[in-house]
Amino acid sequence: MSDPAETDHWRLNGIRIVKAGELDANTAQTPGMNRAAAITHATAGAQKIWAGTVSIHPDAKTGAHHHGHLESVIYVVRGRARMRWGDKLQYVAEAEAGDFIYVPPYVPHQEINAADDQSLECVLVRSDQEPVVVNLDIDPVENPEPVRWIDPNHPE
């Protein structure tokens, strides 16, 4: 027979659902995008991760920024993301719906909606609760170098 205190423990400290209408737009922002927090310590009791959404209007781009010591994962839900990165945003790659993007710590980057007719909608997950967003004043290169990830699992 189950101990009622143990059952209550799981009820109070188990799964949390954050409904779409409960996202918190009061989070660090970068010009050109709208971030909304979903999973945080305040909303779900998360200790080590942060998750939310990001939306970029058609044919729009964000300002250059980085997230300090945080690792970020971006999942493209709808649209086509053009990512630029580097000290002068000199590298570029694109991702589409269903793709994941990994952004290492301290990497200066910029998200661009590569479509002029639909919003770019993504889910964003970071490795910590801190809302680190360092907006940068970068004069980007004119023609960035396209980069493809090439390794044994991703042949050229």
Side-chain angles (χ1 to χ4, degrees), residues 60-131:
K61 62 185 175 185
T62 71
H65 61 283
H66 71 72
H67 301 286
H69 68 282
L70 304 178
E71 293 178 289
S72 298
V73 173
I74 303 167
Y75 175 73
V76 181
V77 175
R78 182 175 67 157
R80 186 168 192 81
R82 180 174 298 129
M83 299 293 295
R84 288 187 67 175
W85 71 94
D87 291 331
K88 295 284 187 180
L89 303 178
Q90 67 268 34
Y91 304 109
V92 66
E94 291 195 1
E96 57 191 25
D99 293 345
F100 286 84
I101 301 164
Y102 171 67
V103 182
Y106 298 102
V107 172
H109 63 282
Q110 175 185 52
E111 293 95 341
I112 301 168
N113 184 342
D116 59 7
D117 61 345
Q118 70 173 328
S119 291
L120 172 60
E121 304 292 337
C122 302
V123 171
L124 173 61
V125 178
R126 293 213 187 100
S127 61
D128 198 334
Q129 289 288 305
E130 289 185 67

